[in-house]
Amino acid sequence: MGDRVAIMRDGKLQQISSPQDLYEQPLNIFVAGFIGSPAMNIFRSKLYKNEQGTFMVNFGEQFLTIGSSLVDRYQQLDRYCDQPILVGLRPEAFTVATVPTNSSIVVNVKTVEALGHEMIIHALAPINTIDTDARLDEPDAGNQVGVDGQHSSMLTARVSSSRMIQSDYPLHLIVDDSQMYLFSIDGERI
């Protein structure tokens, strides 16, 4: 593999950089979804700022706190407060919580790919994911609406192997907020 990669879409240059920079600093959701396997989870959310000045995004009815290192990386966050945004989480941004915590999210495991030292988990989560190949104004395929009106979509997580993880069971995952990616609603990095 080369030390510089150019990513194009529909004849337009999206980003040129080293493979690692493309992975760590994608300029838009197309590049974010293109680089990495399994692909980045990208879902619709909203950016909030509480009375203490802490930024958060919603994950269904739960909230994920945005840590200070991420606030430093995305210096224009105030501009996006109380607006819809897109949030990206790579599958390796998750760890399994041994006990539920305020910072863990709950997903329902659908399938498990056991790969020896790690597992790829495909779980139903209370989010509305987007397809990075589709246009953002198109309806989202793969999203479901439950009886309660909540959206749910498949989320992919790469975690250490555990015999405790089984299909059709709820699982608590901790999100490493330093591995969160934030995009404006038009798909460009904030």
Side-chain angles (χ1 to χ4, degrees):
M1 182 171 229
D3 58 356
R4 283 180 49 91
V5 177
I7 297 180
M8 297 185 72
R9 179 182 187 191
D10 297 330
K12 295 180 183 166
L13 183 63
Q14 300 295 304
Q15 187 172 352
I16 298 176
S17 196
S18 70
Q20 195 64 35
D21 283 343
L22 292 170
Y23 183 81
E24 293 174 357
Q25 299 173 5
L27 291 180
N28 58 45
I29 63 168
F30 179 76
V31 175
F34 184 81
I35 297 291
S37 180
M40 181 185 287
N41 301 287
I42 300 177
F43 60 95
R44 295 181 188 276
S45 187
K46 191 172 183 180
L47 181 66
Y48 300 94
K49 188 175 186 180
N50 67 16
E51 294 168 358
Q52 293 77 30
T54 303
F55 288 99
M56 299 175 294
V57 293
N58 67 306
F59 186 91
E61 293 183 7
Q62 298 172 276
F63 289 90
L64 301 174
T65 301
I66 297 175
S68 59
S69 65
L70 205 60
V71 172
D72 292 342
R73 188 175 359 150
Y74 295 99
Q75 296 181 0
Q76 297 182 16
L77 285 183
D78 276 318
R79 201 172 127 204
Y80 293 90
C81 279
D82 300 318
Q83 293 184 34
I85 63 168
L86 303 174
V87 177
L89 291 168
R90 294 219 181 265
E92 53 274 13
F94 303 97
T95 54
V96 176
T98 52
V99 293
T101 68
N102 289 343
S103 62
S104 63
I105 57 172
V106 181
V107 298
N108 188 18
V109 177
K110 290 300 177 190
T111 59
V112 176
E113 296 177 53
L115 303 174
H117 70 289
E118 67 182 11
M119 302 173 107
I120 306 293
I121 297 169
H122 303 276
L124 202 55
I127 55 176
N128 186 357
T129 58
I130 63 160
D131 179 358
T132 57
D133 283 330
R135 290 178 30 161
L136 290 173
D137 57 356
E138 292 175 350
D140 300 313
N143 290 311
Q144 305 168 21
V145 179
V147 177
D148 58 1
Q150 290 285 344
H151 282 92
S152 61
S153 303
M154 294 303 285
L155 175 123
T156 305
R158 180 189 313 242
V159 298
S160 296
S161 286
S162 169
R163 293 181 187 268
M164 306 287 287
I165 301 172
Q166 299 177 17
S167 296
D168 295 320
Y169 283 96
L171 182 66
H172 293 265
L173 295 173
I174 297 172
V175 177
D176 179 353
D177 70 319
S178 70
Q179 295 189 50
M180 193 180 297
Y181 295 82
L182 304 175
F183 303 93
S184 63
I185 201 67
D186 66 359
E188 299 299 316
R189 183 175 67 196
I190 292 177

